[in-house]
Amino acid sequence: MGQKPITFLRQVVALCSFPELLDSSSFPEDAKQRARRILQGCGGQSLGSYSASQGVDCIRQDIAVYIEQRDKGVPADWDNIYLTTGASDGIVSILKMLVSGQGRSRSGVMIPIPQYPLYSAAISEMEAVQINYYLDEDNCWALDINELHRAYQAAKEHCHPRVICIINPGNPTGQVQSKKCIEEVLHFAYEENLFVMSDEVYQDNVYSPDCQFHSFKKVLYEMGPEYFNTVELASFHSTSKGYSGECGFRGGYMEVLNLDLEVKAQLVKLLSVRLCPPVSGQAAMDVIVNPPLPHEPSYLQFHKEKSAVLGALAEKAQMTEQILNTVPGIKCNPVQGAMYAFPRIFIPPRAVEAAMSLGMSPDMMYCLRLLEETGICLVPGSGFGQREGTYHFRMTILPTTEKLKVLLEKFQDFHIKFLKEYASLEEPKRSEDDTQEALKQFR
Amino acid sequence: MGQKPITFLRQVVALCSFPELLDSSSFPEDAKQRARRILQGCGGQSLGSYSASQGVDCIRQDIAVYIEQRDKGVPADWDNIYLTTGASDGIVSILKMLVSGQGRSRSGVMIPIPQYPLYSAAISEMEAVQINYYLDEDNCWALDINELHRAYQAAKEHCHPRVICIINPGNPTGQVQSKKCIEEVLHFAYEENLFVMSDEVYQDNVYSPDCQFHSFKKVLYEMGPEYFNTVELASFHSTSKGYSGECGFRGGYMEVLNLDLEVKAQLVKLLSVRLCPPVSGQAAMDVIVNPPLPHEPSYLQFHKEKSAVLGALAEKAQMTEQILNTVPGIKCNPVQGAMYAFPRIFIPPRAVEAAMSLGMSPDMMYCLRLLEETGICLVPGSGFGQREGTYHFRMTILPTTEKLKVLLEKFQDFHIKFLKEYASLEEPKRSEDDTQEALKQFR
């Protein structure tokens, strides 16, 4: 999408990959120092060796230091840190540990709707029971504690709810959870003895000045030892998001809390079947948790590059929301964080009927038409889940500002054309319909 | 273990990681050309982008060309190539596709004994049925077709055998399969409609002058179209073995044959849950299948480094076998290929009893004692499987020749001490025992 890599990160990975470069004067000293530290932690001082299945020791130590700083002193034990092959690998591994039972005792996993489809795919693959809790679109996609209770009580009838998954900041919904909301979720998990999986891969992607990232772990700590020493928690981070966007390196880590020692032993056993996460991805993760410090030679450039990426994302988040909300029949919540807008589209009933007759979900038909007519690829909301009868799409805010503007204009033209095509023959009796309401603005 | 990385491979990975180096005069042109080709195949020309779940197109194309050359013209279609996160990831993914059913219809997976424990671990995790076929220790660990029939017939009583796994060259057993043996296995798979999984990660590691690597695919082709167009086959390769030994990059690929198109669609869907294999591992894989050519500037150095690694491994394979066979109570088959010796150890009955009383397998006790007394770490045969009442260990031939000599001498001293300790009170009536026989040589 045109986002430039962070120079310092790539320098460290290149130095680790080909250590002869450590003698080159064209690399800054702090990058060399990071590379030497990582290599000293590797078997045979080489990225080419298997690491321990849990990851390279010194990288796990750096991650623990990072978490302590992020969470204002809440202790982090590097024995609880596991490097992973991207966050997905960690999420799937933890789910594997938690799924068991048959029939009514089969493990149930609570996930937000809309969700990132890794969750539904993994749950389906493991034949666990998916328990949907719906985010509140009318309240900026906030998590509503009453909805959690409703979903839990309903699911208890046919499965054994054991896990609650949270994505914060949200994918695809872009909301950032308030501290109060997180406290409610953790209290609920404590009461119902649920394992909490907190997907925090967008922790660096918070744009709205009214929002702040709170880690589930920090909030749990602040709720007191009765919570902090009891609730089982796994949280996930990744090299793929934030300001680095290094998806291809497949770097990530998870931190677990309050896991029984025997369970941890089984977890390491499970992870060891795949030997170890890619060591170059581990090195990339190390740079993200251990970036240049203000007194180091690479600091200025690093800081400039990081600010440029995050500043542009914040600008594009706001722009995307604003432009989408000028389009009749589109309603977009603020993009508080993450990398996506997930607007609601009001699809005219005749278009819904046309899609049904093609055996296709209406938002899929909408997105396919958009792709065919403009070359713009959006992902239909049905891929993430949505309340029945509502339609959405997910759109990344990643293209450059200039491209994004062109894209949003093209999108607007398409949308108006689409509405005209399907709404012109609309009968007046349906005027109470959302679509009609949207069309009023438009006419 | 002191094995030096191949310079060319590391140069290409470093160039791909930090493309500013493409302007540096300290890198050879052929390395730059490889890096440019790989980067052009990557989204945004960056290792940091997700690749397609099946891998980078041009790398899949290079792999197909490599396979065709290796197999003397047998056609390879790059649509059948999938990059993986090491070979393990591919093996687990294919097994996942094949395991289904309940009770007597549950999928059975035939694996060699001794085996590489990835297989038993994955089978156990998926709750498939493990079907053991024993390799013939008296015949250099060859695969015996009669034993395959025996194992299959016995298993049919309680499961649905669907897959046969072969490791060639063998891990931990080091044998290289003859063409005739491969033909027999493929004919058996054809007759019984079994999916063939051929683990060929040691295809470059053949040391014995009497042996040659034959790919299962090539042999299948030579058996004629009735076989080549019918038998479902997946074969696996990796960056972790051969002469490169780049385990940490988690690179690998698999090639599938005769998979139904709908099955292939499901396979891609399954793989896409984890997004993509690490792109730096894909780049490393590309170098292995597309090394410098004789007219290119890096050829001489590459060839020298490759020959040095493979030459040393061949020497160490022979040395390990020879020295181990001079030790009383140790019997070691030739290390024809791969990276391991898997000798039989004759453990005195009193040592067996001592181990049992500790609730430990005798070879585990043996290896723990060795570790404690010498610092040498061998893996007990019980971790790989062995015929009941026999004991083995796996030992890599990877240390430098000098270290390996010291190691083998220390091992010999330990072993003799161990025999003395446990055999001195042996009663004569047990003289028919293997251990006694071995001890005779020793006294």
Side-chain angles (χ1 to χ4, degrees):
Chain A
M1 285 293 184
Q3 186 178 310
K4 294 265 175 303
I6 300 290
T7 304
F8 185 74
L9 186 148
R10 293 302 190 91
Q11 285 174 328
V12 174
V13 173
L15 286 160
C16 289
S17 302
F18 189 53
E20 283 187 35
L21 293 171
L22 287 166
D23 300 327
S24 158
S25 58
S26 54
F27 284 81
E29 268 314 309
D30 46 358
K32 289 182 185 176
Q33 176 252 317
R34 295 292 189 291
R36 281 196 199 95
R37 175 172 159 79
I38 292 167
L39 289 175
Q40 271 159 21
C42 293
Q45 305 209 8
S46 170
L47 281 198
S49 301
Y50 291 120
S51 75
S53 297
Q54 203 169 341
V56 174
D57 283 0
C58 71
I59 298 178
R60 290 163 57 212
Q61 288 158 2
D62 287 347
I63 292 170
V65 170
Y66 160 78
I67 293 174
E68 285 195 2
Q69 287 173 348
R70 182 197 68 189
D71 290 344
K72 319 278 182 247
V74 178
D77 182 349
W78 65 278
D79 189 48
N80 290 333
I81 311 286
Y82 298 71
L83 273 297
T84 55
T85 308
S88 320
D89 170 52
I91 291 167
V92 170
S93 300
I94 292 289
L95 276 176
K96 267 191 196 166
M97 301 282 294
L98 296 169
V99 172
S100 65
Q102 286 303 326
R104 276 194 58 177
S105 72
R106 191 73 184 156
S107 302
V109 181
M110 304 186 73
I111 62 169
I113 297 294
Q115 52 112 23
Y116 177 60
L118 163 69
Y119 292 93
S120 51
I123 288 168
S124 158
E125 196 189 315
M126 293 174 203
E127 298 177 26
V129 180
Q130 176 176 326
I131 306 172
N132 296 338
Y133 65 87
Y134 289 86
L135 300 175
D136 185 359
E137 182 164 15
D138 294 333
N139 190 16
C140 281
W141 294 114
L143 194 161
D144 173 9
I145 190 71
N146 296 318
E147 168 62 9
L148 276 193
H149 285 290
R150 181 208 60 77
Y152 178 83
Q153 292 302 333
K156 258 194 357 189
E157 302 299 316
H158 61 274
C159 72
H160 178 192
R162 296 184 80 152
V163 192
I164 176 164
C165 299
I166 293 105
I167 313 173
N168 177 44
N171 176 3
T173 38
Q175 84 285 16
V176 177
Q177 294 190 346
S178 69
K179 196 176 160 191
K180 179 169 166 288
C181 169
I182 296 174
E183 280 170 358
E184 286 173 348
V185 173
L186 287 168
H187 180 74
F188 168 75
Y190 171 84
E191 292 279 317
E192 306 294 1
N193 196 23
L194 295 174
F195 191 108
V196 179
M197 291 177 64
S198 176
D199 179 341
E200 299 177 340
V201 298
Y202 295 102
Q203 58 189 263
D204 286 324
N205 298 98
V206 176
Y207 314 119
S208 170
D210 310 328
C211 293
Q212 195 189 333
F213 171 73
H214 301 276
S215 80
F216 268 65
K217 185 186 169 204
K218 176 163 169 278
V219 175
L220 190 67
Y221 182 80
E222 289 166 353
M223 289 169 76
E226 182 152 346
Y227 290 87
F228 191 65
N229 299 328
T230 312
V231 174
E232 290 165 307
L233 172 70
S235 53
F236 305 90
H237 197 13
S238 159
T239 61
S240 305
K241 319 297 174 190
Y243 53 88
S244 56
E246 298 285 12
C247 322
F249 284 95
R250 312 307 299 122
Y253 75 78
M254 59 186 178
E255 183 189 20
V256 300
L257 215 63
N258 295 316
L259 255 61
D260 187 279
L261 284 183
E262 287 186 49
V263 174
K264 279 171 84 168
Q266 289 298 320
L267 179 58
V268 171
K269 197 168 166 183
L270 183 68
L271 295 175
S272 68
V273 174
R274 304 285 191 97
L275 300 157
C276 72
V279 184
S280 40
Q282 297 187 44
M285 194 74 240
D286 190 65
V287 176
I288 290 170
V289 298
N290 187 16
L293 298 171
H295 66 274
E296 291 183 314
S298 301
Y299 180 75
L300 276 182
Q301 186 182 2
F302 172 81
H303 191 261
K304 204 175 134 193
E305 290 174 351
K306 175 179 169 178
S307 305
V309 172
L310 291 178
L313 284 171
E315 185 192 48
K316 292 183 285 185
Q318 204 179 8
M319 185 178 83
T320 303
E321 177 208 339
Q322 283 179 359
I323 298 188
L324 285 175
N325 277 326
T326 66
V327 181
I330 298 281
K331 190 166 171 295
C332 183
N333 270 321
V335 183
Q336 298 170 335
M339 295 175 169
Y340 318 98
F342 196 69
R344 183 164 176 188
I345 32 176
F346 298 91
I347 296 185
R350 283 188 53 236
V352 172
E353 283 159 26
M356 296 306 186
S357 72
L358 294 166
M360 206 182 267
S361 70
D363 48 6
M364 173 61 103
M365 182 183 84
Y366 180 92
C367 290
L368 280 179
R369 283 279 303 270
L370 177 73
L371 180 61
E372 281 159 10
E373 293 178 24
T374 67
I376 297 169
C377 180
L378 303 179
V379 191
S382 44
F384 305 91
Q386 52 201 352
R387 283 200 185 268
E388 215 184 306
T390 69
Y391 305 107
H392 301 77
F393 59 77
R394 188 185 83 166
M395 178 181 160
T396 80
I397 58 168
L398 288 170
T400 58
T401 308
E402 280 319 300
K403 270 198 188 163
L404 196 56
K405 270 185 196 159
V406 175
L407 187 154
L408 285 164
E409 276 166 28
K410 277 194 188 179
F411 164 76
Q412 182 164 13
D413 293 344
F414 163 82
H415 181 77
I416 289 170
K417 205 175 129 234
F418 184 87
L419 284 195
K420 274 188 186 164
E421 178 182 339
Y422 284 105
S424 54
L425 298 177
E426 200 53 51
E427 291 176 29
K429 62 173 174 159
R430 294 210 185 168
S431 62
E432 75 284 5
D433 186 279
D434 280 340
T435 309
Q436 294 304 315
E437 198 177 320
L439 283 171
K440 266 183 230 157
Q441 300 171 42
F442 168 61
R443 276 166 189 157
Chain B
M1 284 293 183
Q3 185 180 312
K4 294 268 175 301
I6 300 291
T7 304
F8 185 74
L9 186 149
R10 294 303 189 92
Q11 285 174 328
V12 174
V13 173
L15 287 161
C16 289
S17 301
F18 190 53
E20 282 186 34
L21 293 169
L22 288 165
D23 300 327
S24 158
S25 58
S26 53
F27 284 80
E29 269 312 309
D30 46 358
K32 289 183 186 176
Q33 175 251 318
R34 294 291 189 292
R36 281 195 200 97
R37 175 173 159 79
I38 293 167
L39 288 175
Q40 272 158 21
C42 293
Q45 306 209 8
S46 170
L47 280 199
S49 302
Y50 291 121
S51 75
S53 297
Q54 202 170 342
V56 174
D57 282 1
C58 70
I59 299 178
R60 291 162 57 210
Q61 288 158 2
D62 287 348
I63 291 169
V65 170
Y66 160 79
I67 294 173
E68 284 196 3
Q69 286 173 349
R70 183 197 67 190
D71 290 345
K72 320 278 182 244
V74 177
D77 181 349
W78 66 278
D79 189 48
N80 290 331
I81 311 287
Y82 298 71
L83 273 298
T84 56
T85 308
S88 321
D89 169 53
I91 290 166
V92 170
S93 299
I94 291 290
L95 276 176
K96 267 191 197 168
M97 299 282 294
L98 296 169
V99 172
S100 65
Q102 286 304 324
R104 276 194 59 179
S105 72
R106 190 74 183 155
S107 303
V109 181
M110 304 187 73
I111 62 170
I113 297 293
Q115 52 112 22
Y116 176 61
L118 163 68
Y119 292 94
S120 51
I123 288 168
S124 158
E125 196 189 314
M126 292 175 205
E127 296 176 27
V129 180
Q130 176 174 328
I131 306 171
N132 296 338
Y133 66 88
Y134 289 87
L135 300 175
D136 184 359
E137 182 162 16
D138 294 334
N139 189 18
C140 281
W141 295 114
L143 194 159
D144 174 8
I145 190 71
N146 296 319
E147 168 62 9
L148 275 193
H149 285 290
R150 181 208 61 76
Y152 178 84
Q153 292 303 334
K156 258 195 354 190
E157 302 298 316
H158 61 274
C159 72
H160 178 192
R162 298 184 78 153
V163 193
I164 177 165
C165 301
I166 293 106
I167 313 174
N168 177 46
N171 176 3
T173 40
Q175 85 286 13
V176 177
Q177 294 191 345
S178 69
K179 196 175 159 190
K180 180 170 165 290
C181 170
I182 296 173
E183 280 169 358
E184 287 173 349
V185 173
L186 286 169
H187 181 74
F188 169 74
Y190 172 83
E191 292 279 317
E192 305 295 1
N193 195 23
L194 294 173
F195 191 109
V196 180
M197 291 177 63
S198 177
D199 179 340
E200 299 177 339
V201 298
Y202 295 102
Q203 59 190 265
D204 286 324
N205 298 97
V206 175
Y207 314 120
S208 171
D210 311 327
C211 294
Q212 194 190 334
F213 171 73
H214 301 277
S215 79
F216 268 65
K217 184 185 169 203
K218 176 162 170 279
V219 176
L220 190 66
Y221 182 81
E222 289 165 354
M223 290 169 75
E226 181 151 346
Y227 289 86
F228 191 64
N229 299 328
T230 312
V231 174
E232 289 164 306
L233 172 71
S235 54
F236 305 91
H237 197 13
S238 160
T239 61
S240 305
K241 318 298 173 191
Y243 53 87
S244 57
E246 297 285 12
C247 322
F249 284 95
R250 312 308 298 120
Y253 75 77
M254 58 186 180
E255 183 188 22
V256 300
L257 215 62
N258 294 319
L259 254 61
D260 187 279
L261 284 183
E262 286 186 49
V263 174
K264 280 171 84 169
Q266 289 298 320
L267 179 58
V268 171
K269 197 169 165 181
L270 184 68
L271 296 174
S272 68
V273 175
R274 303 286 191 97
L275 300 157
C276 72
V279 184
S280 40
Q282 297 187 45
M285 195 73 241
D286 190 65
V287 176
I288 291 170
V289 298
N290 186 17
L293 299 171
H295 66 274
E296 291 183 313
S298 300
Y299 180 76
L300 276 182
Q301 186 182 3
F302 171 81
H303 191 262
K304 204 174 134 194
E305 290 174 354
K306 175 179 169 177
S307 305
V309 172
L310 291 177
L313 284 171
E315 186 192 50
K316 293 183 285 187
Q318 204 179 10
M319 185 178 84
T320 303
E321 175 207 341
Q322 283 179 358
I323 298 187
L324 285 174
N325 278 326
T326 65
V327 181
I330 298 281
K331 190 167 170 295
C332 184
N333 271 321
V335 182
Q336 298 170 333
M339 295 175 170
Y340 318 99
F342 195 70
R344 182 163 176 187
I345 33 177
F346 299 90
I347 297 185
R350 282 188 52 239
V352 173
E353 283 159 26
M356 297 305 187
S357 73
L358 294 166
M360 208 182 266
S361 69
D363 48 5
M364 173 60 104
M365 182 183 83
Y366 181 92
C367 289
L368 280 179
R369 283 279 302 268
L370 177 73
L371 180 62
E372 280 160 10
E373 291 178 25
T374 67
I376 297 170
C377 180
L378 304 179
V379 190
S382 44
F384 305 91
Q386 52 201 352
R387 282 199 184 272
E388 213 182 308
T390 70
Y391 305 107
H392 302 78
F393 59 78
R394 188 186 84 165
M395 178 180 157
T396 80
I397 57 168
L398 287 170
T400 58
T401 308
E402 280 319 300
K403 270 198 188 163
L404 196 56
K405 271 186 194 157
V406 175
L407 187 154
L408 285 164
E409 277 167 27
K410 277 195 185 178
F411 165 76
Q412 181 164 15
D413 293 345
F414 162 82
H415 181 77
I416 289 168
K417 204 174 131 236
F418 183 89
L419 285 194
K420 274 189 185 162
E421 179 181 338
Y422 285 106
S424 53
L425 298 177
E426 201 51 55
E427 291 177 27
K429 61 172 175 161
R430 295 212 185 168
S431 62
E432 75 285 4
D433 187 279
D434 279 339
T435 310
Q436 294 304 314
E437 197 176 321
L439 282 170
K440 267 184 231 157
Q441 300 171 40
F442 168 64
R443 273 166 190 157

